[in-house]
Amino acid sequence: KITHLDESIMAQVDEALHRLEELKLEDNHPYISHAYFYKGKCYMSKKKWKQAERAFYNALRSSQQTPYKENNMEAASYLLLAICATIQNDLERALDMINQGLDAYVKTGEMPYIKHLLYKHKALLLERLGRYTEGMQLVQNCWPMLKEFDDIETLLSFYWLRAELSRRTGLLEEGIEVAIEGINIARRNRQYASMYDLWTVLGSIYTELKNWEFAEHSFMIAKKLEALIPADKRLITVHNRTGILYRKQNKITEAFESFQQAIRYAEKFQDFPQLVKNLTLIGELSYQTGETE
């Protein structure tokens, strides 16, 4: 459903693109790379990923041809190329772009937050690729620099990453400690999406510890936050993991309902890996209860 707010934002994006075109900058203009970069961001807002990528490649080419590297436009272009690749599920290419961005980053240059975002997206990609030990090592190396972060969303992403990677690598008590600390920071700053993610991972850790009461309580709090966050793929996870909790408790009806809700969200957001995962879990659950058809 397209809202009036969405239409207003898209109108502003179109106006920005029009104004950028009107500039008619030459290829040797000192701000040509910035113009391409902002075009790419506009196309990202319109979800035109291929056009965004072309603009970022042009920004990259222009920034590589100038002797002034301190603006970190090269590193920023690699970052957004990586995000475009991630959205299109090309994770290995995204990781390569991130690594090139880190190599291109000038420590004494502008936009210091680019470094933090590059590290954040590298850790997220390693987690998605199942390279949990590498991801945890990166997060631990970045942990001392968290005090430099001026963006609360990026800061809380690292709390989620450390909690999730602690779960994945068996450091369950550390995961609980980090998740609770992150939840408190998110609560004080009214970062509801981060609270949602952190309560979800906390519930998953308690599930592995077989602390069923705490696990269910964590998932229930996450679900109560759904009305306060943007509707996106993250909604699938809490219902999937609640279903897993109920299945471990042999609460078949509740597990089935949770997996069905996860399937509905996976279909809505066209998350096919999650759709396959939850259809498989429904199939296993049905087989377990004798519903072979």
Side-chain angles (χ1 to χ4, degrees):
K1 183 180 179 182
I2 305 298
T3 66
H4 291 302
L5 179 60
D6 294 327
E7 291 174 350
S8 175
I9 291 169
M10 285 303 104
Q12 291 179 45
V13 170
D14 289 336
E15 183 182 352
L17 277 169
H18 178 67
R19 291 192 179 193
L20 286 165
E21 292 292 347
E22 280 187 329
L23 292 174
K24 298 189 184 337
L25 300 181
E26 299 290 337
D27 280 348
N28 60 353
H29 193 281
Y31 287 109
I32 187 65
S33 58
H34 289 73
Y36 283 128
F37 183 79
Y38 291 127
K39 279 184 185 178
K41 292 189 77 171
C42 288
Y43 286 127
M44 284 184 76
S45 297
K46 294 167 74 69
K47 299 184 179 181
K48 294 183 176 181
W49 311 119
K50 294 303 180 184
Q51 286 172 269
E53 285 183 337
R54 280 198 297 273
F56 291 134
Y57 274 118
N58 283 329
L60 187 60
R61 174 181 51 80
S62 300
S63 61
Q64 288 171 338
Q65 290 173 354
T66 178
Y68 182 70
K69 304 295 183 184
E70 284 75 10
N71 61 15
N72 273 317
M73 187 54 62
E74 187 176 345
S77 298
Y78 276 123
L79 170 65
L80 293 192
L81 279 167
I83 293 173
C84 286
T86 302
I87 289 167
Q88 296 171 88
N89 280 317
D90 194 346
L91 303 187
E92 292 289 354
R93 182 165 67 92
L95 185 58
D96 180 59
M97 291 293 176
I98 290 292
N99 286 330
Q100 290 188 70
L102 286 167
D103 289 340
Y105 179 76
V106 178
K107 293 180 181 178
T108 56
E110 301 168 18
M111 299 193 291
Y113 61 88
I114 292 295
K115 175 182 68 173
H116 307 150
L117 291 173
L118 285 163
Y119 282 131
K120 166 190 163 181
H121 284 284
K122 181 169 184 176
L124 288 168
L125 284 164
L126 290 171
E127 190 273 331
R128 284 190 62 180
L129 288 164
R131 293 160 62 173
Y132 305 129
T133 304
E134 287 178 72
M136 179 59 103
Q137 185 65 56
L138 176 61
V139 170
Q140 288 173 337
N141 290 343
C142 290
W143 208 252
M145 71 173 71
L146 293 191
K147 59 183 178 292
E148 302 172 13
F149 289 18
D150 58 3
D151 177 56
I152 188 66
E153 186 179 340
T154 303
L155 174 72
L156 289 167
S157 292
F158 273 89
Y159 274 90
W160 176 84
L161 276 162
R162 186 154 190 171
E164 178 66 15
L165 290 167
S166 294
R167 181 182 78 85
R168 297 283 191 178
T169 54
L171 303 172
L172 301 182
E173 294 301 330
E174 178 181 326
I176 290 172
E177 183 180 336
V178 171
I180 290 173
E181 185 178 346
I183 286 166
N184 288 328
I185 295 170
R187 177 180 50 78
R188 291 196 299 271
N189 290 275
R190 299 183 181 182
Q191 295 292 309
Y192 301 115
S194 294
M195 287 174 65
Y196 181 90
D197 293 336
L198 287 160
W199 277 113
T200 300
V201 73
L202 187 60
S204 303
I205 295 170
Y206 283 133
T207 298
E208 296 203 15
L209 288 169
K210 298 183 179 180
N211 189 331
W212 311 130
E213 182 183 353
F214 278 28
E216 186 170 13
H217 177 71
S218 300
F219 291 140
M220 291 306 104
I221 292 176
K223 288 176 183 178
K224 287 179 180 179
L225 290 164
E226 284 186 7
L228 300 174
I229 65 173
D232 58 26
K233 292 181 180 182
R234 79 182 70 209
L235 300 179
I236 306 167
T237 304
V238 71
H239 292 280
N240 165 264
R241 294 188 183 177
T242 305
I244 290 169
L245 167 65
Y246 286 141
R247 185 181 179 186
K248 287 178 182 290
Q249 295 177 280
N250 206 34
K251 295 181 178 179
I252 304 303
T253 302
E254 292 90 338
F256 198 88
E257 289 172 357
S258 294
F259 292 140
Q260 286 281 33
Q261 183 59 60
I263 286 168
R264 284 192 285 271
Y265 278 133
E267 289 174 335
K268 178 177 179 179
F269 301 117
Q270 296 188 317
D271 188 329
F272 300 114
Q274 282 276 21
L275 181 58
V276 169
K277 180 193 295 185
N278 286 284
L279 285 168
T280 303
L281 286 166
I282 285 270
E284 290 173 354
L285 200 62
S286 300
Y287 183 80
Q288 178 184 332
T289 56
E291 300 290 335
T292 53
E293 287 186 18

